[in-house]
mmCIF file of all heavy atoms in Angstrom:
data_model
loop_
_atom_site.group_PDB
_atom_site.id
_atom_site.type_symbol
_atom_site.label_atom_id
_atom_site.label_comp_id
_atom_site.label_asym_id
_atom_site.label_seq_id
_atom_site.Cartn_x
_atom_site.Cartn_y
_atom_site.Cartn_z
ATOM 1 N N THR A 1 -24.110 -118.336 102.178
ATOM 2 C CA THR A 1 -24.363 -118.310 103.589
ATOM 3 C C THR A 1 -24.382 -116.865 104.050
ATOM 4 O O THR A 1 -25.287 -116.400 104.790
ATOM 5 C CB THR A 1 -23.362 -119.131 104.407
ATOM 6 O OG1 THR A 1 -23.418 -120.487 103.914
ATOM 7 C CG2 THR A 1 -23.677 -119.116 105.858
ATOM 8 N N GLU A 2 -23.293 -116.175 103.711
ATOM 9 C CA GLU A 2 -23.182 -114.683 104.179
ATOM 10 C C GLU A 2 -24.351 -113.856 103.591
ATOM 11 O O GLU A 2 -24.881 -113.035 104.254
ATOM 12 C CB GLU A 2 -21.846 -114.102 103.631
ATOM 13 C CG GLU A 2 -21.640 -112.692 104.097
ATOM 14 C CD GLU A 2 -20.336 -112.195 103.553
ATOM 15 O OE1 GLU A 2 -19.759 -112.844 102.594
ATOM 16 O OE2 GLU A 2 -19.845 -111.116 104.090
ATOM 17 N N SER A 3 -24.721 -114.152 102.298
ATOM 18 C CA SER A 3 -25.737 -113.437 101.620
ATOM 19 C C SER A 3 -27.136 -113.569 102.359
ATOM 20 O O SER A 3 -27.789 -112.582 102.653
ATOM 21 C CB SER A 3 -25.843 -113.814 100.193
ATOM 22 O OG SER A 3 -26.962 -113.156 99.522
ATOM 23 N N TYR A 4 -27.456 -114.812 102.669
ATOM 24 C CA TYR A 4 -28.746 -115.131 103.306
ATOM 25 C C TYR A 4 -28.789 -114.429 104.762
ATOM 26 O O TYR A 4 -29.714 -113.872 105.126
ATOM 27 C CB TYR A 4 -28.921 -116.654 103.482
ATOM 28 C CG TYR A 4 -29.338 -117.300 102.218
ATOM 29 C CD1 TYR A 4 -28.774 -118.525 101.803
ATOM 30 C CD2 TYR A 4 -30.415 -116.738 101.437
ATOM 31 C CE1 TYR A 4 -29.218 -119.141 100.611
ATOM 32 C CE2 TYR A 4 -30.804 -117.321 100.235
ATOM 33 C CZ TYR A 4 -30.143 -118.613 99.858
ATOM 34 O OH TYR A 4 -30.627 -119.206 98.714
ATOM 35 N N LEU A 5 -27.654 -114.521 105.435
ATOM 36 C CA LEU A 5 -27.666 -113.945 106.840
ATOM 37 C C LEU A 5 -27.767 -112.406 106.752
ATOM 38 O O LEU A 5 -28.441 -111.832 107.541
ATOM 39 C CB LEU A 5 -26.361 -114.390 107.561
ATOM 40 C CG LEU A 5 -26.274 -115.886 107.994
ATOM 41 C CD1 LEU A 5 -24.933 -116.233 108.545
ATOM 42 C CD2 LEU A 5 -27.377 -116.193 108.988
ATOM 43 N N LEU A 6 -27.013 -111.833 105.847
ATOM 44 C CA LEU A 6 -27.131 -110.381 105.760
ATOM 45 C C LEU A 6 -28.494 -109.926 105.305
ATOM 46 O O LEU A 6 -28.955 -108.873 105.761
ATOM 47 C CB LEU A 6 -26.016 -109.840 104.707
ATOM 48 C CG LEU A 6 -24.572 -109.962 105.236
ATOM 49 C CD1 LEU A 6 -23.637 -109.555 104.129
ATOM 50 C CD2 LEU A 6 -24.355 -109.048 106.387
ATOM 51 N N GLU A 7 -29.118 -110.714 104.386
ATOM 52 C CA GLU A 7 -30.483 -110.397 104.009
ATOM 53 C C GLU A 7 -31.474 -110.516 105.205
ATOM 54 O O GLU A 7 -32.333 -109.614 105.350
ATOM 55 C CB GLU A 7 -30.927 -111.254 102.852
ATOM 56 C CG GLU A 7 -32.299 -110.829 102.336
ATOM 57 C CD GLU A 7 -32.734 -111.703 101.149
ATOM 58 O OE1 GLU A 7 -31.928 -112.521 100.681
ATOM 59 O OE2 GLU A 7 -33.925 -111.574 100.817
ATOM 60 N N ALA A 8 -31.360 -111.586 105.968
ATOM 61 C CA ALA A 8 -32.131 -111.719 107.179
ATOM 62 C C ALA A 8 -31.950 -110.617 108.129
ATOM 63 O O ALA A 8 -32.846 -110.020 108.740
ATOM 64 C CB ALA A 8 -31.785 -113.103 107.833
ATOM 65 N N TYR A 9 -30.622 -110.166 108.280
ATOM 66 C CA TYR A 9 -30.269 -109.042 109.203
ATOM 67 C C TYR A 9 -30.957 -107.769 108.723
ATOM 68 O O TYR A 9 -31.546 -107.008 109.485
ATOM 69 C CB TYR A 9 -28.770 -108.891 109.090
ATOM 70 C CG TYR A 9 -28.195 -107.714 109.900
ATOM 71 C CD1 TYR A 9 -28.354 -107.634 111.294
ATOM 72 C CD2 TYR A 9 -27.598 -106.634 109.265
ATOM 73 C CE1 TYR A 9 -27.813 -106.566 111.982
ATOM 74 C CE2 TYR A 9 -27.159 -105.519 109.968
ATOM 75 C CZ TYR A 9 -27.234 -105.491 111.313
ATOM 76 O OH TYR A 9 -26.702 -104.479 112.044
ATOM 77 N N SER A 10 -30.982 -107.532 107.358
ATOM 78 C CA SER A 10 -31.595 -106.329 106.774
ATOM 79 C C SER A 10 -33.091 -106.340 107.021
ATOM 80 O O SER A 10 -33.757 -105.362 107.347
ATOM 81 C CB SER A 10 -31.238 -106.225 105.339
ATOM 82 O OG SER A 10 -31.911 -105.140 104.802
ATOM 83 N N VAL A 11 -33.690 -107.555 106.720
ATOM 84 C CA VAL A 11 -35.134 -107.688 106.859
ATOM 85 C C VAL A 11 -35.684 -107.494 108.261
ATOM 86 O O VAL A 11 -36.657 -106.714 108.474
ATOM 87 C CB VAL A 11 -35.574 -109.137 106.343
ATOM 88 C CG1 VAL A 11 -37.006 -109.379 106.695
ATOM 89 C CG2 VAL A 11 -35.442 -109.193 104.836
ATOM 90 N N ILE A 12 -35.018 -108.157 109.210
ATOM 91 C CA ILE A 12 -35.503 -108.004 110.592
ATOM 92 C C ILE A 12 -35.262 -106.669 111.136
ATOM 93 O O ILE A 12 -36.092 -106.147 112.007
ATOM 94 C CB ILE A 12 -34.851 -109.162 111.466
ATOM 95 C CG1 ILE A 12 -35.693 -109.298 112.758
ATOM 96 C CG2 ILE A 12 -33.491 -108.780 111.797
ATOM 97 C CD1 ILE A 12 -37.051 -109.950 112.525
ATOM 98 N N LYS A 13 -34.265 -105.965 110.684
ATOM 99 C CA LYS A 13 -33.973 -104.612 111.235
ATOM 100 C C LYS A 13 -35.016 -103.578 110.621
ATOM 101 O O LYS A 13 -35.212 -102.511 111.238
ATOM 102 C CB LYS A 13 -32.542 -104.158 110.809
ATOM 103 C CG LYS A 13 -31.498 -104.761 111.733
ATOM 104 C CD LYS A 13 -30.175 -104.037 111.560
ATOM 105 C CE LYS A 13 -30.232 -102.664 112.258
ATOM 106 N NZ LYS A 13 -28.948 -101.929 112.277
ATOM 107 N N SER A 14 -35.634 -103.948 109.462
ATOM 108 C CA SER A 14 -36.557 -103.068 108.854
ATOM 109 C C SER A 14 -37.902 -103.027 109.650
ATOM 110 O O SER A 14 -38.730 -102.112 109.450
ATOM 111 C CB SER A 14 -36.845 -103.508 107.473
ATOM 112 O OG SER A 14 -37.550 -104.764 107.377
ATOM 113 N N GLN A 15 -38.087 -104.034 110.455
ATOM 114 C CA GLN A 15 -39.314 -104.102 111.334
ATOM 115 C C GLN A 15 -39.190 -103.109 112.459
ATOM 116 O O GLN A 15 -38.178 -102.988 113.090
ATOM 117 C CB GLN A 15 -39.527 -105.507 111.756
ATOM 118 C CG GLN A 15 -40.871 -105.652 112.600
ATOM 119 C CD GLN A 15 -40.972 -107.032 113.168
ATOM 120 O OE1 GLN A 15 -39.984 -107.745 113.361
ATOM 121 N NE2 GLN A 15 -42.236 -107.527 113.354
ATOM 122 N N GLN A 16 -40.250 -102.316 112.708
ATOM 123 C CA GLN A 16 -40.248 -101.342 113.758
ATOM 124 C C GLN A 16 -41.321 -101.511 114.808
ATOM 125 O O GLN A 16 -42.502 -101.472 114.374
ATOM 126 C CB GLN A 16 -40.303 -99.912 113.223
ATOM 127 C CG GLN A 16 -39.035 -99.540 112.408
ATOM 128 C CD GLN A 16 -37.789 -99.495 113.173
ATOM 129 O OE1 GLN A 16 -37.789 -99.156 114.399
ATOM 130 N NE2 GLN A 16 -36.705 -99.903 112.526
ATOM 131 N N PRO A 17 -41.074 -101.846 116.031
ATOM 132 C CA PRO A 17 -39.704 -102.213 116.489
ATOM 133 C C PRO A 17 -39.355 -103.627 116.018
ATOM 134 O O PRO A 17 -40.222 -104.470 115.811
ATOM 135 C CB PRO A 17 -39.799 -102.149 117.980
ATOM 136 C CG PRO A 17 -41.309 -102.514 118.256
ATOM 137 C CD PRO A 17 -42.039 -101.938 117.088
ATOM 138 N N PRO A 18 -38.028 -103.910 115.936
ATOM 139 C CA PRO A 18 -37.673 -105.247 115.429
ATOM 140 C C PRO A 18 -38.013 -106.306 116.463
ATOM 141 O O PRO A 18 -38.083 -106.075 117.675
ATOM 142 C CB PRO A 18 -36.172 -105.135 115.256
ATOM 143 C CG PRO A 18 -35.647 -103.953 116.181
ATOM 144 C CD PRO A 18 -36.874 -103.084 116.214
ATOM 145 N N TYR A 19 -38.145 -107.528 115.945
ATOM 146 C CA TYR A 19 -38.320 -108.682 116.768
ATOM 147 C C TYR A 19 -36.974 -109.132 117.323
ATOM 148 O O TYR A 19 -36.186 -109.789 116.626
ATOM 149 C CB TYR A 19 -39.096 -109.818 116.053
ATOM 150 C CG TYR A 19 -39.445 -110.966 116.892
ATOM 151 C CD1 TYR A 19 -40.435 -110.807 117.932
ATOM 152 C CD2 TYR A 19 -38.938 -112.236 116.718
ATOM 153 C CE1 TYR A 19 -40.793 -111.837 118.761
ATOM 154 C CE2 TYR A 19 -39.329 -113.342 117.513
ATOM 155 C CZ TYR A 19 -40.229 -113.052 118.493
ATOM 156 O OH TYR A 19 -40.637 -114.185 119.285
ATOM 157 N N TYR A 20 -36.675 -108.679 118.498
ATOM 158 C CA TYR A 20 -35.226 -108.790 118.960
ATOM 159 C C TYR A 20 -34.707 -110.251 119.115
ATOM 160 O O TYR A 20 -33.589 -110.488 118.959
ATOM 161 C CB TYR A 20 -35.111 -108.039 120.347
ATOM 162 C CG TYR A 20 -35.033 -106.523 120.100
ATOM 163 C CD1 TYR A 20 -36.093 -105.780 120.597
ATOM 164 C CD2 TYR A 20 -33.983 -105.930 119.501
ATOM 165 C CE1 TYR A 20 -36.000 -104.392 120.475
ATOM 166 C CE2 TYR A 20 -33.973 -104.506 119.382
ATOM 167 C CZ TYR A 20 -34.980 -103.780 119.810
ATOM 168 O OH TYR A 20 -34.938 -102.393 119.655
ATOM 169 N N TYR A 21 -35.648 -111.114 119.438
ATOM 170 C CA TYR A 21 -35.232 -112.507 119.664
ATOM 171 C C TYR A 21 -34.632 -113.058 118.299
ATOM 172 O O TYR A 21 -33.509 -113.644 118.285
ATOM 173 C CB TYR A 21 -36.376 -113.349 120.073
ATOM 174 C CG TYR A 21 -36.070 -114.825 120.294
ATOM 175 C CD1 TYR A 21 -35.405 -115.212 121.422
ATOM 176 C CD2 TYR A 21 -36.400 -115.782 119.339
ATOM 177 C CE1 TYR A 21 -35.064 -116.516 121.651
ATOM 178 C CE2 TYR A 21 -36.076 -117.095 119.528
ATOM 179 C CZ TYR A 21 -35.413 -117.470 120.664
ATOM 180 O OH TYR A 21 -35.020 -118.799 120.834
ATOM 181 N N THR A 22 -35.353 -112.836 117.164
ATOM 182 C CA THR A 22 -34.864 -113.320 115.892
ATOM 183 C C THR A 22 -33.614 -112.513 115.507
ATOM 184 O O THR A 22 -32.687 -113.090 114.859
ATOM 185 C CB THR A 22 -35.949 -113.219 114.840
ATOM 186 O OG1 THR A 22 -37.094 -113.894 115.259
ATOM 187 C CG2 THR A 22 -35.492 -113.728 113.531
ATOM 188 N N LEU A 23 -33.660 -111.257 115.694
ATOM 189 C CA LEU A 23 -32.515 -110.375 115.292
ATOM 190 C C LEU A 23 -31.281 -110.817 116.028
ATOM 191 O O LEU A 23 -30.168 -110.837 115.480
ATOM 192 C CB LEU A 23 -32.859 -108.884 115.681
ATOM 193 C CG LEU A 23 -31.766 -107.872 115.417
ATOM 194 C CD1 LEU A 23 -31.389 -107.867 113.913
ATOM 195 C CD2 LEU A 23 -32.239 -106.512 115.774
ATOM 196 N N ILE A 24 -31.342 -111.168 117.318
ATOM 197 C CA ILE A 24 -30.240 -111.509 118.077
ATOM 198 C C ILE A 24 -29.704 -112.901 117.504
ATOM 199 O O ILE A 24 -28.464 -112.981 117.383
ATOM 200 C CB ILE A 24 -30.552 -111.720 119.554
ATOM 201 C CG1 ILE A 24 -30.766 -110.379 120.189
ATOM 202 C CG2 ILE A 24 -29.446 -112.442 120.271
ATOM 203 C CD1 ILE A 24 -31.418 -110.417 121.589
ATOM 204 N N ASN A 25 -30.549 -113.805 117.157
ATOM 205 C CA ASN A 25 -30.089 -114.997 116.530
ATOM 206 C C ASN A 25 -29.306 -114.861 115.193
ATOM 207 O O ASN A 25 -28.275 -115.427 114.939
ATOM 208 C CB ASN A 25 -31.247 -115.958 116.261
ATOM 209 C CG ASN A 25 -31.826 -116.576 117.620
ATOM 210 O OD1 ASN A 25 -31.082 -116.686 118.622
ATOM 211 N ND2 ASN A 25 -33.091 -116.959 117.589
ATOM 212 N N VAL A 26 -29.857 -113.847 114.418
ATOM 213 C CA VAL A 26 -29.267 -113.595 113.106
ATOM 214 C C VAL A 26 -27.878 -112.990 113.318
ATOM 215 O O VAL A 26 -26.874 -113.362 112.662
ATOM 216 C CB VAL A 26 -30.165 -112.720 112.228
ATOM 217 C CG1 VAL A 26 -29.429 -112.234 110.975
ATOM 218 C CG2 VAL A 26 -31.447 -113.426 111.847
ATOM 219 N N VAL A 27 -27.784 -111.962 114.152
ATOM 220 C CA VAL A 27 -26.586 -111.294 114.439
ATOM 221 C C VAL A 27 -25.527 -112.260 115.030
ATOM 222 O O VAL A 27 -24.315 -112.147 114.708
ATOM 223 C CB VAL A 27 -26.735 -109.998 115.345
ATOM 224 C CG1 VAL A 27 -25.476 -109.417 115.729
ATOM 225 C CG2 VAL A 27 -27.776 -109.060 114.678
ATOM 226 N N GLN A 28 -26.007 -113.124 115.957
ATOM 227 C CA GLN A 28 -25.014 -114.076 116.480
ATOM 228 C C GLN A 28 -24.491 -115.026 115.468
ATOM 229 O O GLN A 28 -23.321 -115.352 115.488
ATOM 230 C CB GLN A 28 -25.810 -114.884 117.598
ATOM 231 C CG GLN A 28 -24.951 -115.858 118.382
ATOM 232 C CD GLN A 28 -23.970 -115.127 119.243
ATOM 233 O OE1 GLN A 28 -24.351 -114.372 120.163
ATOM 234 N NE2 GLN A 28 -22.660 -115.363 119.081
ATOM 235 N N ALA A 29 -25.431 -115.418 114.522
ATOM 236 C CA ALA A 29 -24.952 -116.267 113.391
ATOM 237 C C ALA A 29 -23.938 -115.591 112.583
ATOM 238 O O ALA A 29 -22.941 -116.225 112.110
ATOM 239 C CB ALA A 29 -26.132 -116.694 112.619
ATOM 240 N N LEU A 30 -24.143 -114.270 112.197
ATOM 241 C CA LEU A 30 -23.153 -113.516 111.449
ATOM 242 C C LEU A 30 -21.855 -113.404 112.161
ATOM 243 O O LEU A 30 -20.710 -113.502 111.620
ATOM 244 C CB LEU A 30 -23.734 -112.168 111.172
ATOM 245 C CG LEU A 30 -24.798 -112.026 110.052
ATOM 246 C CD1 LEU A 30 -25.435 -110.687 110.095
ATOM 247 C CD2 LEU A 30 -24.021 -112.243 108.697
ATOM 248 N N SER A 31 -21.859 -113.119 113.556
ATOM 249 C CA SER A 31 -20.595 -113.059 114.268
ATOM 250 C C SER A 31 -19.863 -114.365 114.213
ATOM 251 O O SER A 31 -18.618 -114.421 114.028
ATOM 252 C CB SER A 31 -20.975 -112.724 115.760
ATOM 253 O OG SER A 31 -19.780 -112.691 116.493
ATOM 254 N N ILE A 32 -20.506 -115.443 114.386
ATOM 255 C CA ILE A 32 -19.836 -116.816 114.305
ATOM 256 C C ILE A 32 -19.355 -117.060 112.906
ATOM 257 O O ILE A 32 -18.241 -117.579 112.768
ATOM 258 C CB ILE A 32 -20.861 -117.859 114.744
ATOM 259 C CG1 ILE A 32 -21.281 -117.773 116.188
ATOM 260 C CG2 ILE A 32 -20.265 -119.314 114.444
ATOM 261 C CD1 ILE A 32 -22.391 -118.683 116.650
ATOM 262 N N PHE A 33 -20.089 -116.687 111.838
ATOM 263 C CA PHE A 33 -19.676 -116.833 110.551
ATOM 264 C C PHE A 33 -18.397 -116.144 110.225
ATOM 265 O O PHE A 33 -17.418 -116.726 109.690
ATOM 266 C CB PHE A 33 -20.782 -116.443 109.550
ATOM 267 C CG PHE A 33 -20.397 -116.424 108.109
ATOM 268 C CD1 PHE A 33 -20.358 -117.582 107.367
ATOM 269 C CD2 PHE A 33 -19.984 -115.233 107.456
ATOM 270 C CE1 PHE A 33 -19.938 -117.592 106.060
ATOM 271 C CE2 PHE A 33 -19.602 -115.218 106.135
ATOM 272 C CZ PHE A 33 -19.555 -116.431 105.420
ATOM 273 N N TYR A 34 -18.261 -114.874 110.548
ATOM 274 C CA TYR A 34 -17.157 -114.083 110.266
ATOM 275 C C TYR A 34 -15.913 -114.509 111.136
ATOM 276 O O TYR A 34 -14.792 -114.436 110.669
ATOM 277 C CB TYR A 34 -17.399 -112.583 110.483
ATOM 278 C CG TYR A 34 -18.191 -111.973 109.435
ATOM 279 C CD1 TYR A 34 -19.442 -111.392 109.653
ATOM 280 C CD2 TYR A 34 -17.762 -111.978 108.069
ATOM 281 C CE1 TYR A 34 -20.261 -110.898 108.631
ATOM 282 C CE2 TYR A 34 -18.526 -111.479 107.013
ATOM 283 C CZ TYR A 34 -19.750 -110.845 107.321
ATOM 284 O OH TYR A 34 -20.555 -110.422 106.237
ATOM 285 N N GLU A 35 -16.181 -114.998 112.290
ATOM 286 C CA GLU A 35 -15.108 -115.544 113.115
ATOM 287 C C GLU A 35 -14.477 -116.796 112.476
ATOM 288 O O GLU A 35 -13.282 -116.940 112.515
ATOM 289 C CB GLU A 35 -15.619 -115.873 114.559
ATOM 290 C CG GLU A 35 -14.509 -116.282 115.516
ATOM 291 C CD GLU A 35 -15.085 -116.664 116.915
ATOM 292 O OE1 GLU A 35 -16.286 -116.561 117.111
ATOM 293 O OE2 GLU A 35 -14.214 -116.916 117.731
ATOM 294 N N GLN A 36 -15.398 -117.642 111.928
ATOM 295 C CA GLN A 36 -14.875 -118.886 111.251
ATOM 296 C C GLN A 36 -14.187 -118.454 109.917
ATOM 297 O O GLN A 36 -13.205 -119.223 109.510
ATOM 298 C CB GLN A 36 -16.089 -119.698 110.877
ATOM 299 C CG GLN A 36 -16.686 -120.339 112.058
ATOM 300 C CD GLN A 36 -17.999 -121.112 111.705
ATOM 301 O OE1 GLN A 36 -18.545 -120.899 110.659
ATOM 302 N NE2 GLN A 36 -18.513 -121.952 112.638
ATOM 303 N N GLN A 37 -14.470 -117.313 109.339
ATOM 304 C CA GLN A 37 -13.781 -116.854 108.121
ATOM 305 C C GLN A 37 -12.485 -116.130 108.513
ATOM 306 O O GLN A 37 -11.732 -115.709 107.599
ATOM 307 C CB GLN A 37 -14.637 -115.963 107.275
ATOM 308 C CG GLN A 37 -16.003 -116.637 106.879
ATOM 309 C CD GLN A 37 -15.759 -117.997 106.322
ATOM 310 O OE1 GLN A 37 -15.044 -118.232 105.419
ATOM 311 N NE2 GLN A 37 -16.582 -118.961 106.872
ATOM 312 N N GLY A 38 -12.224 -115.930 109.722
ATOM 313 C CA GLY A 38 -11.036 -115.224 110.165
ATOM 314 C C GLY A 38 -11.178 -113.716 110.135
ATOM 315 O O GLY A 38 -10.165 -113.016 110.351
ATOM 316 N N ASP A 39 -12.336 -113.186 109.872
ATOM 317 C CA ASP A 39 -12.582 -111.748 109.933
ATOM 318 C C ASP A 39 -12.973 -111.320 111.328
ATOM 319 O O ASP A 39 -14.202 -111.146 111.661
ATOM 320 C CB ASP A 39 -13.663 -111.394 108.885
ATOM 321 C CG ASP A 39 -13.740 -109.878 108.587
ATOM 322 O OD1 ASP A 39 -13.272 -109.125 109.473
ATOM 323 O OD2 ASP A 39 -14.266 -109.490 107.585
#
């Protein structure tokens, strides 16, 4: 799960300018994931 989200994060950030709507969803999902893991 973490690997897919980080890869999505890396892919969408490589776009110039990034598609912020998708980027926000990915970053929000990473924040929720790490919060659930206690990090």
Side-chain angles (χ1 to χ4, degrees):
T1 301
E2 181 182 17
S3 175
Y4 283 136
L5 287 175
L6 289 173
E7 186 180 351
Y9 176 67
S10 175
V11 168
I12 198 68
K13 282 195 72 175
S14 68
Q15 184 182 26
Q16 293 301 321
Y19 187 63
Y20 285 112
Y21 180 78
T22 303
L23 180 57
I24 290 166
N25 288 335
V26 171
V27 174
Q28 185 70 58
L30 280 166
S31 177
I32 294 171
F33 172 78
Y34 284 119
E35 185 179 4
Q36 290 172 346
Q37 304 312 307
D39 191 339

